[in-house]
Amino acid sequence: SRQSFIQTTGEKLSAFKDRMVSHEVKNKIAKDERMLVSRRSGNLGARNKREQENTDFIVDQQATAQTMMRQQDEVLDDLDEAVIRVGNMAGAIEIEIAEQNKMLNTLEEDLTDAEEKLGFVMGKLAKLLKTKNKCQLGLILVLILVVVILFFMVIYL
């Protein structure tokens, strides 16, 4: 199945990655780098054993420096990819926040409209009952709600 293929491929990639960072591979890369630098620079005019040892040391240091630079480049490439991923996530979060803000603004407008309508109804109800006492109006509304609930209970039960 697709899921097992993805899992198998992931395991193979992980094993391959582990092999690529092993000491054997690093030593092979360093050896190849030394050989490359050695071919490019030759013996640098060494005339005796001591000069040849100095030349070998210089070649080894150049190879080590190039290996380190390549490793740093790889780390920087990984870091660049991570920064790009974070940037993409930040963009997605920004879009989500903008959508949430729109929904909150709509909700706020709806609540304001409902509050205005409720105030209007309460005013009309107070005028109808000729009272301004909010406690009495609240009690009347609760009692009306109880009557409606009881009415529906009688009908449906």
Side-chain angles (χ1 to χ4, degrees), residues 10-77:
E11 291 170 357
K12 287 179 183 177
L13 285 173
S14 179
F16 183 72
K17 185 177 180 182
D18 290 342
R19 252 185 285 152
M20 291 305 294
V21 295
S22 70
H23 290 292
E24 273 183 19
V25 172
K26 288 180 180 179
N27 291 338
K28 172 76 169 119
I29 290 172
K31 181 182 172 188
D32 291 346
E33 198 67 48
R34 277 189 222 102
M35 287 177 45
L36 180 64
V37 171
S38 172
R39 272 191 242 134
R40 286 184 187 157
S41 60
N43 65 1
L44 296 176
R47 294 180 297 258
N48 59 38
K49 185 176 180 181
R50 184 176 175 115
E51 289 178 356
Q52 186 60 46
E53 287 175 357
N54 286 342
T55 301
D56 291 343
F57 177 76
I58 291 170
V59 166
D60 188 45
Q61 292 301 311
Q62 287 176 338
T64 302
Q66 287 180 352
T67 301
M68 287 174 61
M69 288 186 348
R70 185 177 13 258
Q71 289 172 348
Q72 289 172 352
D73 287 344
E74 290 172 5
V75 169
L76 287 174
D77 288 342

Side-chain angles (χ1 to χ4, degrees), residues 89-105:
M89 286 191 293
I93 289 170
E94 179 185 11
I95 291 170
E96 183 68 25
I97 287 173
E99 291 175 7
Q100 294 285 334
N101 279 337
K102 287 179 186 175
M103 290 191 300
L104 286 173
N105 289 337

